[in-house]
Amino acid sequence: MILFSQNILGIKRIILKIISCLVIVFFSAASGQKKIDFSVLDNKNDKLIEKFRKKYDIPGLAISVSHKNQLVYSKGFGYSDVEKKLEVIPSKTKFRIGSISKTITAVTLAKLQEENKLKINESIYKYLDSLPVKDYDITVEQLLSHRAGLVRDYQKSFMCGENDLHRSNFYSSFQKTDFISKPGVDFSYSNYGYMLLGVLIEKLTGEPLTKTKKELVIDKAGLNHTVPDDGNFDEDTSRFYYRYKDKLGIVPCTDCSFNYAPGCYLSTSEDLVKLGNSYLYADRIISKESFKELLTPRNYDKTYGLGFITRKDYYGNYFFGHNGAYYGGMSNLKIYPKDRLVISILINIKDNSINFDALLDEIIFQYLDLIKKSE
């Protein structure tokens, strides 16, 4: 009887081991099916990007792609400093990101709304009681969505010594500025309107705008190489170039001291991908409900929300994000929520003939196609 019981126990152990092995094999196979070898696209990406760089004679370029919060491609091309032949390193080389900075401003305001410090559908005059009264009222939401009817830029130049707009004379400039359309009607892209949002944030927090954006967004997104463009450039900051008569020149000093709400930040392509993932997984910084409000289109053709471009690419795939351009730099950040893809690109020259869309759409199409084939 004892021998029989021991045999039964032995059989049970064998069965349990078999079941355990089957479970391990099953889950290993399942996880193997989900793992996609994106490296098969690397060579094709390299050729596409290098062809693009040579076509537009771009000094230096960095590009990064992530899938489900993991980098799957990140490379530098050309030079961050042409004279010294310094290579571009996507994790370290900082470029000017231009208006991608507007997304950080928008998320900062969304966070302040969650903290009950403002409501974006209310009048700007409720919070800035010293702002000169104009013919029309303006809401925070209209400023965020570029529907406040304000001019694109007030100052004629951002060069050091030539910039005639500062925090000290902003209210007087607002008094002198005429509306170009009635607020809430037309989409009219306005860096000047975002400067007003910067004034608002400083009034609400009692802190410099750069400090608030760092605490509420940049630090929470884990961005270690995203800083204000204050002219204090370290060895990892790219040179900023312009082209005149087929010759490269270095952009002279620019004054960003009052331009941190609409632009004037430096970042790396890998930091921008991190930023994109902090938007993709929105509850890292603000609630999903708050982020949904930012992405809700406000203009007539449904391509711009509150600080974010929201539209479909050439292949019909929905994305949100922003692009940017400033002296000596151009940028683009695209986030594809359905497939959890983020792509960023940065270059160290501003050239209005350069359009990133065709390149980025083609690269993303390859990743989306590979994801689909792996399902």
Side-chain angles (χ1 to χ4, degrees):
M1 190 70 176
I2 294 173
L3 182 61
F4 178 76
S5 299
Q6 288 175 338
N7 288 337
I8 293 294
L9 287 172
I11 292 170
K12 284 183 177 179
R13 290 192 187 100
I14 292 170
I15 292 172
L16 287 172
K17 283 184 178 180
I18 292 171
I19 292 172
S20 177
C21 289
L22 289 172
V23 169
I24 292 171
V25 169
F26 173 79
F27 282 106
S28 296
S31 63
Q33 288 174 355
K34 293 180 180 178
K35 188 176 176 66
I36 304 172
D37 181 14
F38 290 109
S39 67
V40 298
L41 300 177
D42 288 1
N43 188 51
K44 187 171 185 178
N45 285 341
D46 292 349
K47 290 179 180 178
L48 282 171
I49 297 163
E50 186 59 24
K51 181 180 179 181
F52 177 86
R53 190 184 74 83
K54 288 182 177 178
K55 175 182 177 180
Y56 293 105
D57 195 17
I58 297 167
L61 179 155
I63 186 167
S64 299
V65 182
S66 75
H67 178 245
K68 294 184 177 179
N69 204 30
Q70 298 295 318
L71 275 177
V72 295
Y73 183 83
S74 190
K75 288 191 179 181
F77 298 81
Y79 300 111
S80 63
D81 187 317
V82 173
E83 184 180 7
K84 295 181 180 179
K85 297 193 181 304
L86 298 179
E87 65 178 346
V88 173
I89 304 173
S91 63
K92 294 174 62 178
T93 307
K94 293 187 286 292
F95 296 77
R96 284 178 164 161
I97 68 171
S99 289
I100 293 176
S101 308
K102 288 182 174 68
T103 69
I104 303 175
T105 300
V107 173
T108 298
L109 282 163
K111 185 64 178 177
L112 292 175
Q113 180 171 248
E114 289 184 347
E115 295 175 354
N116 296 315
K117 292 181 179 178
L118 88 157
K119 292 183 179 178
I120 64 170
N121 62 348
E122 291 183 332
S123 169
I124 193 76
Y125 290 104
K126 178 178 179 179
Y127 306 102
L128 298 175
D129 50 11
S130 298
L131 188 70
V133 177
K134 305 289 284 183
D135 293 338
Y136 300 110
D137 193 9
I138 304 174
T139 66
V140 179
E141 182 266 345
Q142 287 169 346
L143 289 166
L144 279 167
S145 59
H146 300 286
R147 295 182 305 116
L150 296 177
V151 295
R152 182 183 180 96
D153 294 296
Y154 178 88
Q155 59 273 61
K156 295 179 180 179
S157 173
F158 287 95
M159 295 298 145
C160 293
E162 298 178 8
N163 188 353
D164 58 351
L165 182 62
H166 301 278
R167 178 67 182 87
S168 59
N169 68 342
F170 180 78
Y171 278 10
S172 62
S173 77
F174 189 77
Q175 180 69 63
K176 298 173 186 176
T177 302
D178 294 326
F179 286 97
I180 59 176
S181 63
K182 182 179 179 180
V185 177
D186 296 326
F187 178 88
S188 53
Y189 193 84
S190 178
N191 293 313
Y192 186 72
Y194 266 72
M195 288 181 171
L196 180 52
L197 290 174
V199 173
L200 170 64
I201 292 171
E202 291 190 339
K203 178 67 180 297
L204 294 173
T205 64
E207 299 283 359
L209 174 62
T210 52
K211 181 179 180 181
T212 301
K213 292 176 81 168
K214 185 176 190 302
E215 292 176 350
L216 297 187
V217 182
I218 293 172
D219 285 349
K220 289 187 177 180
L223 312 184
N224 298 317
H225 304 283
T226 301
V227 296
D229 185 353
D230 60 5
N232 296 312
F233 304 138
D234 61 19
E235 66 276 6
D236 292 325
T237 304
S238 172
R239 289 277 198 157
F240 306 122
Y241 295 98
Y242 69 92
R243 184 175 289 107
Y244 180 71
K245 293 183 178 180
D246 296 327
K247 291 185 178 181
L248 281 180
I250 297 173
V251 173
C253 172
T254 56
D255 181 3
C256 278
S257 58
F258 187 54
N259 202 27
Y260 296 125
C264 279
Y265 270 79
L266 307 173
S267 190
T268 66
S269 62
E270 290 192 9
D271 253 21
L272 285 186
V273 162
K274 286 183 182 178
L275 182 65
N277 279 299
S278 75
Y279 298 157
L280 186 56
Y281 303 94
D283 50 359
R284 295 178 181 180
I285 300 176
I286 56 177
S287 69
K288 292 179 180 179
E289 291 73 22
S290 291
F291 201 76
K292 183 179 180 180
E293 184 177 20
L294 295 181
L295 295 185
T296 302
R298 300 308 205 277
N299 61 330
Y300 69 93
D301 60 356
K302 300 185 183 302
T303 58
Y304 204 95
L306 304 181
F308 285 86
I309 293 169
T310 59
R311 62 180 180 86
K312 292 183 179 181
D313 66 18
Y314 175 81
Y315 295 100
N317 301 301
Y318 170 78
F319 72 91
F320 63 87
H322 218 291
N323 53 12
Y326 193 67
Y327 301 102
M330 295 178 73
S331 62
N332 207 316
L333 173 65
K334 291 186 175 185
I335 300 134
Y336 289 75
K338 181 182 177 182
D339 293 279
R340 297 291 190 262
L341 278 167
V342 179
I343 186 168
S344 71
I345 187 169
L346 291 164
I347 63 174
N348 54 5
I349 194 168
K350 181 178 179 292
D351 182 341
N352 292 333
S353 69
I354 298 174
N355 188 335
F356 292 130
D357 283 341
L359 172 68
L360 299 187
D361 290 356
E362 181 66 22
I363 291 173
I364 285 295
F365 177 82
Q366 303 301 323
Y367 283 97
L368 293 175
D369 188 52
L370 187 57
I371 291 169
K372 185 177 181 181
K373 289 177 179 177
S374 302
E375 290 177 348

